[in-house]
Amino acid sequence: MYNFTSVPQSLLTNPGADFKYEYYFGVPLLSGISANMGSTGFSAYSLFANDGVDFNTKLRDVVFSTTRKDHLALNEQVEIFNGGFKLGDWFENKGYISFGLYHEFDFLSYMPKDLAILALDGNRDYVGKVFNLGDLNVKSEMVSVLHVGYHKNVSEKLILGARAKIYSSAFNATSTKNSGYIYTIPGTTTAYEQVIYSRLKLNTSGISKYTAEDYDGDVVSDIRKKALFGGDLGLGFDLGFTYYPQKNVQLTASIIDVGFIKHSKDVESYTYEGVYKYEGINPNFISGGTTANIYDEFKDAIPLDTLFTKYTTWRPTKLNASYQYSFGTSSDEDCVCTGQEKDYKNAVGAQFFAMSTPRTPITALTAYYRRSLFSTLQMKATYTLDNYSSKNIGLGLSANLGKFNMYFMADNLLEYKDVSKANSLSFQFGFNFIFKDNNEPN
C-alpha cells in the first residue's frame, strides 16, 4: 500500500503522499479491509500437520527450536468510513483534507521459552539452570481511530502532510515489563536449594466485567459501543513528506502512530511479586499438601494481588522510507498516475519499514516495480525481506471503472499453495469513489 498513490488509503501510510484528486470517499465498511499474520520460528504446519506425529512431540520441537526473540503477531483493520477533498480550487493550492474512522485489532506475543520448558518438563533435569520469567511478553488491544489529515504542495518539489488521531480502546491486555527468575541448585545442608524471584504484572482494561460471574450482558454489543468512543481515549499523530530532487526521482518518508492511550476505565492489574527461597527436596506447590505449610508460605511470599490503578500504553509506531526512479514516458491516455509521476508509465524503487515492539523492532526491506498497464489499471509487484521470510513476493492491483475504484493486494503469494506452512500472510482490499481534478490532465 505504501506510496501506491492511485489508492486513497495510501494517505494512511504517508500523510504527505503525492495524491491529487478533487475528492474521494470510500464505500462504508468496505473501503479498506486488511489482515496480516506473522510468526517467526514456526508455522501452523509445525503444530497441526496430519503426519502421525503426536501433538505433544510437535509442541516440544517448536519450543526447543525457537528463541525468546521469536514472536507471533496478528493485525486486522476495517475502515468504517473514509474520505478527502481539496481546499479551494487548483490554482489557490490551499491543500488537501482527508478524514475517516477505522477499527483495528493487534496481538503480539514473544515466545516465553523458559516458561514453556518449565511447564513441559519441570526443573528436575535443569538443576543449575536459571529460568528467565522476563520471557513472558504479550500485548493485545482493540481500538477505534478517528483521524483527520492535511497535506499540501509547499513547492513544485516538496509535499508535506500531517494527521491527527483520537484513539478509543475497547479493551487492552498488556504484560511486557516482567522480570524475575527461578533456579534450583544442590544445597549445602539439604538436597536442593530453590529460589523464585518474581516481578510479573498483567495490566487489563475493559475486560474484567466480562469475566465476572454476575455478568449477564452482550459482549459483542458492549464492545461495539466502546469502539465508538466509549472506551479509554488517547491521542496520536502521523507525519510524512514526498520530495522530488529530479522530475523522475522521488524520495518519501513517514512516521505513523506516534501516540498513547490512557487506560482508566474498568482497569484491573494482576501481580505476582516477591521472593521465595526453599531448602529441601522439590516442593509440590500445586497440591498444597506438603509439610510445614510450604504452599501457604509460597503464597505469602509471592502473593497474587489485584490493583485498580490507571496505566498508559504507547501505540506501535511505524517508520517508512522509500526511493523511486520513474521511466518510460506515456501519453495522458495511458497514465493514471498523479502529480509529478504523470509523465511515466514505469517505476522501480525500494522501501524500508520498521515497527516498534516491546523488544526489537520488526523490520522489512522491499524492492518493487510499478506499472500503468492501461489508463484504468495500475499494478505493483514487490519482493520483501523481513523477519518472517526471504521469499515474500506480493502483488497489488488498482482499477478504476469510471469514478469507482477497487484495489486488491496480497503478500507471500508463493505460500498460498499451502498456507499452513506460511510464516506470514497478508491481504487487503477496498472500494472507493474517486473524482479527478477538472484542472488536472487525466
Side-chain angles (χ1 to χ4, degrees):
M1 177 65 75
Y2 185 78
N3 209 32
F4 200 12
T5 52
S6 62
V7 179
Q9 281 71 19
S10 62
L11 288 171
L12 293 176
T13 63
N14 181 4
D18 189 359
F19 180 86
K20 298 183 183 70
Y21 291 116
E22 183 71 21
Y23 63 96
Y24 75 91
F25 61 88
V27 177
L29 299 177
L30 293 175
S31 60
I33 298 174
S34 67
N36 64 73
M37 176 279 294
S39 172
T40 61
F42 68 97
S43 65
Y45 186 85
S46 305
L47 291 172
F48 303 107
N50 185 18
D51 55 7
V53 179
D54 183 72
F55 176 80
N56 291 328
T57 301
K58 295 176 183 176
L59 181 60
R60 287 181 60 84
D61 290 343
V62 166
V63 169
F64 284 93
S65 65
T66 56
T67 72
R68 67 189 304 268
K69 294 181 180 180
D70 287 309
H71 64 267
L72 172 66
L74 303 172
N75 175 272
E76 66 86 19
Q77 190 177 113
V78 177
E79 280 189 347
I80 310 302
F81 64 85
N82 189 24
F85 58 90
K86 183 181 295 184
L87 296 173
D89 61 39
W90 175 252
F91 299 102
E92 291 178 343
N93 190 23
K94 293 182 178 179
Y96 201 91
I97 293 288
S98 58
F99 57 89
L101 171 68
Y102 63 85
H103 149 94
E104 185 171 14
F105 170 78
D106 279 302
F107 174 85
L108 175 67
S109 175
Y110 282 89
M111 168 60 75
K113 182 162 185 174
D114 276 7
L115 291 173
I117 293 174
L118 195 59
L120 289 172
D121 293 344
N123 63 350
R124 183 187 63 183
D125 299 326
Y126 298 93
V127 174
K129 174 179 171 58
V130 177
F131 291 91
N132 183 3
L133 299 185
D135 279 1
L136 181 61
N137 195 307
V138 61
K139 59 185 297 187
S140 179
E141 185 163 41
M142 180 180 290
V143 299
S144 294
V145 185
L146 180 66
H147 59 89
V148 58
Y150 174 78
H151 89 265
K152 182 177 180 179
N153 292 59
V154 296
S155 71
E156 291 185 356
K157 293 185 175 183
L158 180 62
I159 303 169
L160 298 178
R163 183 174 306 278
K165 294 180 172 180
I166 299 176
Y167 304 110
S168 176
S169 173
F171 72 81
N172 173 270
T174 301
S175 184
T176 58
K177 297 181 179 180
N178 298 304
S179 63
Y181 52 81
I182 298 176
Y183 70 82
T184 304
I185 58 175
T188 56
T189 59
T190 59
Y192 293 104
E193 178 181 301
Q194 182 165 279
V195 176
I196 303 174
Y197 170 74
S198 176
R199 288 290 183 269
L200 300 180
K201 186 175 185 179
L202 170 66
N203 291 321
T204 72
S205 67
I207 295 176
S208 61
K209 79 171 188 178
Y210 305 120
T211 60
E213 294 182 359
D214 58 350
Y215 176 71
D216 60 355
D218 185 330
V219 174
V220 175
S221 177
D222 285 350
I223 291 179
R224 187 183 300 117
K225 292 176 182 177
K226 282 187 176 183
L228 296 175
F229 296 92
D232 295 308
L233 299 179
L235 297 173
F237 66 87
D238 306 339
L239 297 174
F241 74 87
T242 298
Y243 177 67
Y244 291 92
Q246 301 176 31
K247 187 175 182 181
N248 65 330
V249 176
Q250 180 197 72
L251 302 175
T252 76
S254 69
I255 185 168
I256 306 298
D257 275 330
V258 181
F260 67 93
I261 297 175
K262 184 70 175 180
H263 299 274
S264 59
K265 300 178 181 178
D266 191 20
V267 172
E268 285 191 359
S269 297
Y270 308 96
T271 64
Y272 273 110
E273 296 188 353
V275 180
Y276 181 77
K277 182 177 181 180
Y278 172 81
E279 295 183 1
I281 62 173
N282 281 349
N284 182 350
F285 293 116
I286 299 176
S287 68
T290 55
T291 59
N293 296 316
I294 293 175
Y295 181 60
D296 290 336
E297 292 176 5
F298 170 74
K299 291 194 299 181
D300 291 339
I302 307 180
L304 171 62
D305 285 336
T306 303
L307 309 176
F308 304 94
T309 56
K310 302 175 183 179
Y311 66 97
T312 299
T313 59
W314 291 87
R315 298 294 294 152
T317 301
K318 298 97 175 172
L319 178 67
N320 296 282
S322 74
Y323 170 89
Q324 179 175 288
Y325 174 79
S326 301
F327 60 96
T329 58
S330 65
S331 65
D332 290 338
E333 290 76 15
D334 293 328
C335 185
V336 295
C337 304
T338 61
Q340 298 274 3
E341 302 169 317
K342 61 190 175 188
D343 294 329
Y344 303 97
K345 292 180 66 174
N346 307 281
V348 293
Q351 178 204 343
F352 173 76
F353 167 84
M355 184 179 76
S356 64
T357 75
R359 290 184 183 164
T360 57
I362 295 174
T363 59
L365 181 63
T366 298
Y368 66 86
Y369 169 68
R370 191 171 70 183
R371 179 175 175 83
S372 300
L373 298 174
F374 305 104
S375 61
T376 58
L377 180 64
Q378 270 205 11
M379 177 273 292
K380 184 178 181 181
T382 62
Y383 172 73
T384 299
L385 289 171
D386 57 22
N387 299 73
Y388 308 107
S389 173
S390 60
K391 53 181 181 180
N392 184 346
I393 295 176
L395 182 65
L397 295 173
S398 173
N400 294 326
L401 302 176
K403 307 299 183 185
F404 185 67
N405 166 262
M406 63 180 72
Y407 64 92
F408 303 90
M409 303 177 189
D411 281 336
N412 258 317
L413 297 179
L414 298 180
E415 302 291 352
Y416 277 82
K417 58 186 178 183
D418 188 352
V419 295
S420 68
K421 295 181 180 180
N423 285 92
S424 69
L425 290 171
S426 70
F427 70 88
Q428 54 194 132
F429 66 90
F431 308 96
N432 303 287
F433 289 93
I434 298 177
F435 299 83
K436 295 182 179 181
D437 194 315
N438 295 327
N439 295 302
E440 183 181 349
N442 293 322

